[in-house]
């Protein structure tokens, strides 16, 4: 099944993109993503849309009503289309309703990782200037002062068990809402991704970006009648919020909604589901459970992995145990999904499959020339899924796009002989731990500010569970004795837990090359064990 050439792949993608645009023109006049999703809801709105193991059951009508109430609330608060809503809450069905309400009201949704600490939240709120901040009740005491300092007009709380001020404030409002009309280029969400310079960038995603990817994945992954999604991912990132949620809603499929990933709970629910999405760490942990076997997977149609490289050992062990192959795909916050192994064809370990229909993906060398099969180069992409730029960073946005409009992903890869993409590395200093991105520069800047620290280097070390684990090599100032555990303890209050180095090594100096640049490869080799 050898493909013609990488250039032909790009031409085919352009043609598919054209066809999709024609296809979209025939749909409803409103390009608001919610209107697109609603157009796909089942005829009978009283069937189950979302259920939890705790016994909560939401119908499609409940979803329409709950999101309408919250959308009406935002309107009553004076929020106009284009206003930002920053949300740092635990996963719950109501957190999903808040996202849908934000879409309906034409607001721009800003989901924030629940692990973020005050310094991180301060930056996001200061940068995005939301008009409404919703946090969990436990975080109110420190989130509210930050929000007020940045002039945020409204702060509400939403707890994991339908508690907090948001739902109480929404309750008196009407449960019908006319979804605000949006054009494909209007923004639906801003997703902050860590930055190479230590400053996070807000990737602006439009209604059109999200709708086109939902439509493409529905076809490519063969979503069908009767599919049930077992949802165990967090909902503050592309994977759990867009790929998983939109996948189910666009297919009118029921979701079994787990508040957090717990391998035993997943195994217990698998017999009632047909589709599961997870990061590689989740698959490693499922395989660690003796109860994970063919029997619990018997009714499953699709296991999808992404956000970080899936090791070949995990892919193979999974096939032995479950009797089916994981489908690995590749994407990023700026682009949503880019490539995927096939649903029906061969899924090849160590590859992320072919570019999705409509996605132009090219792999080029330093001079911009297309690489041949098997040659490594940088991955660049173009298509209806590619974001509108970084929030308030026009210069950064320009530098990340080529003259002909391709986005530079920062990933290094190659096309194999079958036209499947292999991700072989990254041309930016990035660690991916358990599916979360950590930029070493951000952590180094914070470590270097700690008392007694002269300088530091943050590296990723291979880790069976998280794929990569964050580690730091730290040099003390002359005459100072540093304690690694004390450093870790001070970092915990400053940055999200997953960014805190699991291990810190104290050394007298860092290895440098002739140009004075720290040789991280030497550090990685030295501490690999
Ligand atoms: C949690 N911890 C982590 C971690 N997650 N440490 C390193 N890396 C991680 N990913 C730490 C916590 O800080 C805490 O540390 C301890 O583990 C227990 O916390 P927890 O919350 O109970 O963790 P756990 O439930 O075990 O979380 C593991 C996990 C989670 C794999 C379920 O990390 C997760 O949900 N990952 C999914 C990330 C994701 O959705 N990525 C998509 C990005 S979108 P301590 O020291 O306090 O005990 C994207 C685009 C694309 O990349 O292509 O999809
Ligand atoms: P984020 O910025 O959090 O969206 O992370 C996106 C990055 O995750 C990509 O640029 C890739 O480096 C990485 N990634 C996502 N999926 C995969 C995959 N299947 N294999 C390897 N890396 C992946």
């Amino acid at each position: 099944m050898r493909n013609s050439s990488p250039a032909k792949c790009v031409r085919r993608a352009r043609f598919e993109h054209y066809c999709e645009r024609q296809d979209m023109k025939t749909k409803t006049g409103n390009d608001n993503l919610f209107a697109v999703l609603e157009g796909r809801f089942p005829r009978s709105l009283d069937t189950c849309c979302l259920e939890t193991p705790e016994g909560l059951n939401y119908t499609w009508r409940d979803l329409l009503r709950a999101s309408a109430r919250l959308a009406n609330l935002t309107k009553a608060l004076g929020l106009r289309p284009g206003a930002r809503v920053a949300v740092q809450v635990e996963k719950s069905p109501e957190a999903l309703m808040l996202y849908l309400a934000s879409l309906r009201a034409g607001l721009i949704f800003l989901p924030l990782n629940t692990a973020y600490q005050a310094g991180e939240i301060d930056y996001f709120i200061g940068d995005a200037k939301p008009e409404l901040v919703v946090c969990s009740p436990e975080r109110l005491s420190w989130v509210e002062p930050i929000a007020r300092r940045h002039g945020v007009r409204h702060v509400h709380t939403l707890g994991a068990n339908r508690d907090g001020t948001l739902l109480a404030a929404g309750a008196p409002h009407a449960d019908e809402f006319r979804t605000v009309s949006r054009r494909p280029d209007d923004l639906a969400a801003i997703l902050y991704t860590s930055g190479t310079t230590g400053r996070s960038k807000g990737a602006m995603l439009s209604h059109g970006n999200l709708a086109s990817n939902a439509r493409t994945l529905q076809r490519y992954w063969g979503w069908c009648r009767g599919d049930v999604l077992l949802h165990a991912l967090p909902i503050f990132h592309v994977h759990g919020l867009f790929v998983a949620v939109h996948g189910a809603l666009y297919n009118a499929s029921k979701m079994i909604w787990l508040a957090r990933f717990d391998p035993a709970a997943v195994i217990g629910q698998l017999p009632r589901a047909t589709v599961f999405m997870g990061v590689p760490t989740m698959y490693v942990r499922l395989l660690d459970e003796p109860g994970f076997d063919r029997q619990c997977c018997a009714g499953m149609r699709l296991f999808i992995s992404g956000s970080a490289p899936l090791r070949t050992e995990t892919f193979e062990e999974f096939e032995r145990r479950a009797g089916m192959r994981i489908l690995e795909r590749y994407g990023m916050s700026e682009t949503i999904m880019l490539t995927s192994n096939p649903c029906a064809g061969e899924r090849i370990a160590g590859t992320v499959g072919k570019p999705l229909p409509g996605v132009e993906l090219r792999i080029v060398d330093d001079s911009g020339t297309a690489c041949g099969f098997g040659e490594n180069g940088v991955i660049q992409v173009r298509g209806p899924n590619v974001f509108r730029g970084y929030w308030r960073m026009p210069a950064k946005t320009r530098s990340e796009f080529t003259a002909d409009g391709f986005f530079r992903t920062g990933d290094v890869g190659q096309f194999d002989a079958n036209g499947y993409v292999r991700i072989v590395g990254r041309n930016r200093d990035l660690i991916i731990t358990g599916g979360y991105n950590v930029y070493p520069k951000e952590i180094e800047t914070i470590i270097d500010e700690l008392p007694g620290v002269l300088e530091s280097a943050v590296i990723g070390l291979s880790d069976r569970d998280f794929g990569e684990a964050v580690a730091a090599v730290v040099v003390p100032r002359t005459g100072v004795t540093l304690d690694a555990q004390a450093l870790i303890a001070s970092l915990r209050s400053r940055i999200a837990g997953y960014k805190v180095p699991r291990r810190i090594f104290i050394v007298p100096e860092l290895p440098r090359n002739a140009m004075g640049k720290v040789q991280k490869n030497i550090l990685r080799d030295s501490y690999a064990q």
Side-chain angles (χ1 to χ4, degrees), residues 24-298:
M24 280 162 77
K25 278 186 188 153
T26 64
K27 300 270 162 31
T28 152
N30 187 356
D31 290 302
N32 186 312
L33 172 67
F34 187 86
V36 174
L37 296 172
E38 189 184 353
R40 309 265 316 173
F41 285 3
R43 210 164 288 150
S44 166
L45 291 174
D46 294 315
T47 54
C48 181
C49 156
L50 183 154
E51 66 175 51
T52 71
E54 294 76 31
L56 294 175
N57 211 304
Y58 298 76
T59 64
W60 296 88
R61 196 182 303 283
D62 293 334
L63 179 147
L64 284 171
R65 287 179 172 163
S67 60
R69 267 196 208 97
L70 293 177
N72 278 315
L73 169 66
T74 64
K75 205 170 163 192
L77 292 176
L79 272 68
R80 296 282 163 263
R84 273 82 57 208
V85 179
V87 177
Q88 191 194 29
V89 298
E90 300 304 327
K91 182 176 174 185
S92 69
E94 287 69 28
L96 174 63
M97 305 306 166
L98 176 58
Y99 165 59
L100 298 174
S102 166
L103 289 177
R104 295 188 78 170
L107 307 173
I108 303 174
F109 194 70
L110 207 104
L112 296 167
N113 194 319
T114 47
Y116 290 148
Q117 302 293 310
E120 293 157 312
I121 294 297
D122 186 71
Y123 172 76
F124 297 128
I125 293 184
D127 192 54
K129 304 253 179 299
E131 287 182 35
L132 168 63
V133 168
V134 183
C135 66
S136 55
E138 311 80 64
R139 292 187 184 88
L140 184 67
S141 62
W142 58 267
V143 172
E144 184 161 25
I146 295 174
R148 299 293 180 207
R149 202 168 56 246
H150 287 292
V152 175
R153 287 194 292 146
H154 307 287
V155 179
H156 272 289
T157 57
L158 176 61
N161 299 307
R162 299 186 303 290
D163 48 329
T165 61
L166 185 82
L167 297 180
H173 288 278
D175 61 7
E176 282 184 3
F177 183 85
R178 194 187 164 93
T179 296
V180 169
S181 185
R182 297 278 82 190
R183 292 184 311 265
D185 280 353
D186 287 328
L187 297 190
I190 297 179
L191 264 74
Y192 275 89
T193 73
S194 302
T196 37
T197 55
R199 256 190 90 197
S200 279
K201 304 158 291 176
M204 302 187 288
L205 291 162
S206 68
H207 286 263
N209 291 149
L210 298 169
S212 79
N213 219 234
R215 190 175 288 122
T216 301
L217 293 176
Q218 198 259 348
R219 292 179 193 158
Y220 205 76
W221 289 343
W223 280 91
C224 52
R225 230 180 127 94
D227 265 338
V228 174
L229 175 73
L230 178 50
H231 194 299
L233 282 156
I235 53 165
F236 39 68
H237 282 306
V238 160
H239 198 162
L241 186 60
F242 300 152
V243 187
V245 165
H246 296 170
L249 295 183
Y250 192 82
N251 194 57
S253 278
K254 180 171 89 173
M255 286 186 266
I256 301 174
W257 193 254
L258 302 188
R260 57 186 299 278
F261 173 77
D262 168 50
V266 168
I267 291 170
Q269 295 293 337
L270 279 175
R272 309 178 54 241
T274 64
V275 180
F276 177 84
M277 300 186 194
V279 296
T281 301
M282 295 178 175
Y283 289 104
V284 170
R285 292 186 183 181
L286 280 175
L287 290 169
D288 281 345
E289 295 287 316
F292 183 74
D293 55 18
R294 282 175 192 240
Q295 203 184 332
C296 69
C297 297

Side-chain angles (χ1 to χ4, degrees), residues 1-6 8-9 12 346 348-355 363 371-376 413-422 424:
M1 61 168 187
R2 197 185 158 90
N3 245 14
S4 35
S5 74
K8 278 197 180 157
C9 293
R12 193 196 59 221
E346 193 177 1
I348 304 177
T351 80
V352 292
K354 293 186 178 182
I363 301 183
C371 297
F373 289 112
E375 285 172 16
N376 290 348
Q414 57 169 249
F415 277 110
D416 74 6
N418 299 315
Y420 283 41
V421 175
R422 280 179 192 276
V424 298

